Amino acid sequence: MTDTRIEAGALRAFMERAYEKEGFAPEDARRIADVLMQADLFGIESHGAQRMMYYHQNIASGSVAMHAKPEVLRETPVSALIDGHFAMGQITAAYAMEQAIGKAKRMGVGIVAVRNSSHYGIAGYYPLMAEREGLAAFSMTNTGPIMVPTFGREMMLGTNPLAFCMPADPYPLWFDASTTVVTLGKVEVYNKRGRAMPDGWTIDGEGAVCRDAAKMNASILAGGLGGILPLGGEGETTSGHKGYGLALMVEALTGVLAQGLLAPDMCGAHGDHTSHFFLAFDPGMFGDAAHIRAHMSGYLARLRASEKMPGHSRIYTPGEKAFEAQADRLANGVPVEANTLRELREIASALGIESL
Amino acid sequence: MTDTRIEAGALRAFMERAYEKEGFAPEDARRIADVLMQADLFGIESHGAQRMMYYHQNIASGSVAMHAKPEVLRETPVSALIDGHFAMGQITAAYAMEQAIGKAKRMGVGIVAVRNSSHYGIAGYYPLMAEREGLAAFSMTNTGPIMVPTFGREMMLGTNPLAFCMPADPYPLWFDASTTVVTLGKVEVYNKRGRAMPDGWTIDGEGAVCRDAAKMNASILAGGLGGILPLGGEGETTSGHKGYGLALMVEALTGVLAQGLLAPDMCGAHGDHTSHFFLAFDPGMFGDAAHIRAHMSGYLARLRASEKMPGHSRIYTPGEKAFEAQADRLANGVPVEANTLRELREIASALGIESL
């Protein structure tokens, strides 16, 4: 798999052209492109341009409601419940986080639950919107079924990521992780490369460790028994029950709280009809915001400077790799994999827009 | 190690007698006893009566401020910052959660950050206070240094537990877990039993896997290099960086936000001068509370009924084991280990109170 480096501005402009031509309003096209670009800039290729074909097909099939607008169903000064009406997840989620941010700026905190959304890209995009306003924030989403519970072999939970951001310098504490041990994307990469997966990632339909990425990928997509293990692995010895519990916490705060679909009722591993949870709050309620920010920055610096394992020259703080990748990609272009580039050109041809 | 079953009411009364005689006001003695009893009833012996000798010594040494009262330093309708002034953690933490609950009932949500507290018992006690009022809630605390960051070998983070509770029937979703793969208590148990630890729990000062519980226990207490791994284990293959990130999220929301001590600056693995974070909110802001509760309960029931791994007859939902243990202990008494019982009798003798 060879990558082509594409200038970031050119890639962004292509995405915006594509989504405008798909029929989105210019500001919505810009938002979708911005979420995808953030993933590619952060080096999370699985959620960047690579997803454009998936979205293109969802739009063509009608599983995304093109002209739907998110609707506030209930509201208090500190909360909102939003129905996404199956619009593109990025549009609904950004709108929801804007509501949470506005409430946090007025009241100190805002919590927004969303149902009937769709795939919203990287969970960590939305807390960054709050961080730019000096706020701390959470973002969570449920997804289609992919995780087996501890002692189970039926996919009853999603990857259910949890993202959190806290202001700091030179970059924030930025955490964005699924509560599975790995995401489907990792299984797909091992499948494409024909490599055996490490122990502790997945179990098959009989409950045995599964290292066969092709078999697991097919089984997950078919909704068979077996699936990806929770963070912490199989059983309780290395605390797989904690990853399972975290996933369930995310499900409680998304599908349950928003009264939307739950993971096992969604169709397919990516999961449409997802629910989200956003919480933003102002650290300045608890003290001088600059002092708290400096306290955070100082601790992160100490972590990076602490004693390394032999063979390792760096300790990363959450988000550090992403912000370093962003600096590289802004300077040197975004690596786009050959298959993805071919897909982008197919999209350009189908839409009749200028290609890359 | 043989256990004696002690009638729950008798054990609770003993605890209350002890803390009153230590010099606490009756309502404070009741609170400390209630937190300890909840741990013992839930089968979390490490945090129940077993901790009484540790607290007794902390009180004797003056490291707990007997007559300190938690003080609200800053407040908004949705938030408070509290200084614990080194009072017993249970007293400060319960007071802080009461503030969060009051704000959640008036405003929909309450966030309370606490600094200069001390060991507060099981993190999951406090969300249950909110759950009894129909609220959902979080509780987090930092602790003394015990966890090495991913690619590191210096204990820079605490066990940093995260607890969450969401109302449901017949019992709530109750999640309470450290963000380390295991707690120090597990290492101590393996040490006492002379057993080798599983791989993936700890690394020694050279960064090698350590199965020697005696060596690791001594090293942790001495503050040497090496320590307990994050949830997810060593390196990034099974996503140890996620457990490390979760621990750092907890540290950001406790020590950083409350502007208190951070894990590496605390003395000893248990950690005094801890900081806490509490958040309570009303699910009723997002819809009919009874409907949301039923949605949660239904999902938990489906998880329990889903396909089991061969050799396993049950899938537990978070908290289920604890509530089942509580039913057993209320009916049949609380198992108290022989060494712990001896310690309780020493405390009775030292305080001159009626023993068990």
Side-chain angles (χ1 to χ4, degrees):
Chain A
M1 295 193 284
T2 50
D3 291 346
T4 306
R5 290 262 184 174
I6 295 180
E7 196 269 318
L11 182 58
R12 181 184 293 273
F14 172 77
M15 291 175 175
E16 293 181 357
R17 273 201 302 283
Y19 291 110
E20 283 204 46
K21 196 62 187 283
E22 296 272 18
F24 291 99
E27 68 271 21
D28 289 342
R30 274 200 299 277
R31 178 65 76 184
I32 301 168
D34 197 45
V35 178
L36 293 173
M37 277 305 294
Q38 190 63 75
D40 269 328
L41 290 171
F42 275 180
I44 309 167
E45 283 88 0
S46 59
H47 285 62
Q50 195 267 132
R51 280 284 162 92
M52 288 187 75
M53 184 55 86
Y54 165 72
Y55 293 136
H56 180 63
Q57 290 164 347
N58 282 353
I59 292 164
S61 74
S63 85
V64 160
M66 278 297 298
H67 301 292
K69 291 283 174 199
E71 179 189 5
V72 176
L73 299 180
R74 295 174 81 111
E75 194 169 18
T76 77
V78 297
S79 72
L81 172 70
I82 289 175
D83 191 320
H85 294 303
F86 313 112
M88 281 285 280
Q90 293 87 345
I91 298 170
T92 303
Y95 174 78
M97 184 50 105
E98 281 169 358
Q99 305 308 305
I101 290 168
K103 291 169 191 294
K105 288 176 128 183
R106 290 187 296 274
M107 300 297 298
V109 56
I111 308 179
V112 177
V114 178
R115 69 178 177 229
N116 299 332
S117 185
S118 61
H119 194 276
Y120 79 165
I122 53 170
Y125 175 87
Y126 307 97
L128 284 173
M129 292 170 62
E131 188 272 337
R132 282 190 285 272
E133 309 279 340
L135 305 173
F138 291 89
S139 158
M140 305 179 203
T141 189
N142 64 3
T143 77
I146 198 158
M147 183 196 300
V148 293
T150 300
F151 304 142
R153 57 191 172 116
E154 191 177 347
M155 296 185 295
M156 292 294 290
L157 302 119
T159 52
N160 288 14
L162 181 162
F164 172 73
C165 194
M166 180 90 170
D169 299 299
Y171 21 67
L173 167 60
W174 183 76
F175 176 72
D176 180 354
S178 70
T179 50
T180 41
V181 63
V182 289
T183 56
L184 181 58
K186 276 273 178 77
V187 177
E188 285 169 347
V189 166
Y190 275 66
N191 178 26
K192 280 182 185 167
R193 294 186 183 168
R195 285 177 58 190
M197 296 186 291
D199 284 358
W201 281 15
T202 72
I203 56 165
D204 67 18
E206 285 74 46
V209 171
C210 180
R211 296 178 197 85
D212 182 336
K215 177 182 162 186
M216 182 48 54
N217 195 52
S219 167
I220 289 172
L221 296 179
L225 286 179
I228 299 182
L229 290 162
L231 175 62
E234 190 180 340
E236 296 180 333
T237 305
T238 50
S239 293
H241 57 292
K242 295 184 184 176
Y244 161 46
L246 287 166
L248 202 34
M249 178 183 88
V250 171
E251 192 72 47
L253 290 166
T254 56
V256 171
L257 189 66
Q259 307 131 72
L261 281 195
L262 301 176
D265 300 317
M266 287 183 213
C267 187
H270 287 299
D272 290 321
H273 304 190
T274 52
S275 295
H276 317 310
F277 175 87
F278 303 100
L279 188 154
F281 74 87
D282 182 2
M285 291 191 292
F286 302 95
D288 178 67
H291 173 70
I292 293 170
R293 188 182 184 109
H295 201 33
M296 185 79 253
S297 307
Y299 183 45
L300 295 175
R302 286 173 66 187
L303 276 161
R304 294 191 281 262
S306 68
E307 286 288 337
K308 316 292 183 292
M309 289 272 283
H312 288 274
S313 60
R314 293 185 61 179
I315 290 170
Y316 295 90
T317 53
E320 192 177 18
K321 285 184 180 179
F323 282 92
E324 290 191 357
Q326 179 168 261
D328 166 67
R329 280 147 176 77
L330 288 174
N332 305 310
V334 175
V336 177
E337 196 263 323
N339 284 323
T340 299
L341 193 53
R342 192 167 52 243
E343 289 176 354
L344 301 190
R345 288 172 177 156
E346 283 175 37
I347 292 170
S349 169
L351 294 174
I353 59 169
E354 189 191 341
S355 189
L356 281 164
Chain B
M1 295 193 283
T2 50
D3 291 347
T4 305
R5 289 263 185 173
I6 295 179
E7 197 271 316
L11 182 58
R12 180 185 294 273
F14 172 78
M15 290 176 175
E16 292 181 358
R17 275 201 301 285
Y19 291 110
E20 283 205 45
K21 196 62 189 282
E22 296 273 18
F24 291 99
E27 68 272 20
D28 289 342
R30 274 200 299 278
R31 177 66 76 185
I32 300 168
D34 196 47
V35 179
L36 293 174
M37 277 304 294
Q38 190 63 76
D40 270 328
L41 289 172
F42 275 179
I44 310 167
E45 283 88 1
S46 58
H47 284 62
Q50 195 267 131
R51 280 285 161 92
M52 288 187 77
M53 183 55 86
Y54 165 71
Y55 291 137
H56 181 63
Q57 290 164 347
N58 282 353
I59 292 163
S61 73
S63 87
V64 161
M66 279 295 300
H67 302 292
K69 292 283 175 200
E71 179 189 5
V72 175
L73 299 180
R74 295 175 82 111
E75 194 168 16
T76 77
V78 296
S79 71
L81 172 70
I82 289 175
D83 191 321
H85 293 303
F86 312 112
M88 281 285 281
Q90 292 87 346
I91 299 170
T92 303
Y95 174 79
M97 185 50 105
E98 281 167 358
Q99 305 310 304
I101 290 169
K103 290 170 192 294
K105 287 175 129 185
R106 289 187 296 275
M107 300 298 298
V109 56
I111 308 178
V112 178
V114 178
R115 69 178 177 226
N116 298 332
S117 186
S118 60
H119 194 277
Y120 79 164
I122 52 169
Y125 175 87
Y126 307 97
L128 284 173
M129 294 170 60
E131 188 272 337
R132 283 190 284 271
E133 309 278 340
L135 305 173
F138 291 88
S139 157
M140 305 178 203
T141 188
N142 63 3
T143 78
I146 197 159
M147 183 197 298
V148 293
T150 301
F151 304 141
R153 57 190 174 117
E154 192 176 345
M155 297 185 294
M156 293 295 289
L157 302 120
T159 52
N160 288 13
L162 179 163
F164 171 74
C165 195
M166 180 90 169
D169 298 298
Y171 20 69
L173 168 61
W174 183 76
F175 176 72
D176 180 355
S178 70
T179 50
T180 41
V181 64
V182 290
T183 57
L184 182 57
K186 275 274 178 76
V187 177
E188 285 169 348
V189 166
Y190 274 66
N191 179 25
K192 280 182 186 169
R193 296 187 182 167
R195 286 175 59 189
M197 297 186 290
D199 285 357
W201 283 14
T202 72
I203 56 164
D204 68 17
E206 285 74 47
V209 172
C210 179
R211 296 177 197 85
D212 183 337
K215 177 181 162 187
M216 183 46 55
N217 195 53
S219 167
I220 288 172
L221 296 178
L225 286 179
I228 299 182
L229 290 162
L231 175 62
E234 190 181 340
E236 297 180 332
T237 305
T238 51
S239 293
H241 58 290
K242 295 184 184 176
Y244 161 46
L246 287 165
L248 201 36
M249 179 183 87
V250 171
E251 193 71 48
L253 290 166
T254 57
V256 171
L257 189 66
Q259 306 131 73
L261 281 194
L262 301 176
D265 299 318
M266 288 184 213
C267 188
H270 287 299
D272 292 320
H273 303 190
T274 51
S275 296
H276 316 311
F277 174 86
F278 303 100
L279 187 153
F281 74 87
D282 182 3
M285 291 191 292
F286 301 95
D288 178 66
H291 172 71
I292 292 169
R293 187 183 184 109
H295 201 32
M296 185 79 253
S297 308
Y299 183 45
L300 294 175
R302 286 173 68 187
L303 277 160
R304 293 191 281 263
S306 68
E307 286 287 337
K308 317 291 183 292
M309 288 271 283
H312 289 274
S313 60
R314 293 184 61 179
I315 289 170
Y316 295 91
T317 53
E320 193 177 18
K321 285 184 181 179
F323 282 92
E324 290 191 358
Q326 178 167 263
D328 166 67
R329 280 146 177 76
L330 288 174
N332 305 310
V334 175
V336 178
E337 198 262 322
N339 284 322
T340 299
L341 192 54
R342 192 167 53 243
E343 289 177 355
L344 301 190
R345 288 171 177 156
E346 283 176 38
I347 291 169
S349 170
L351 294 174
I353 59 169
E354 188 191 341
S355 190
L356 279 167

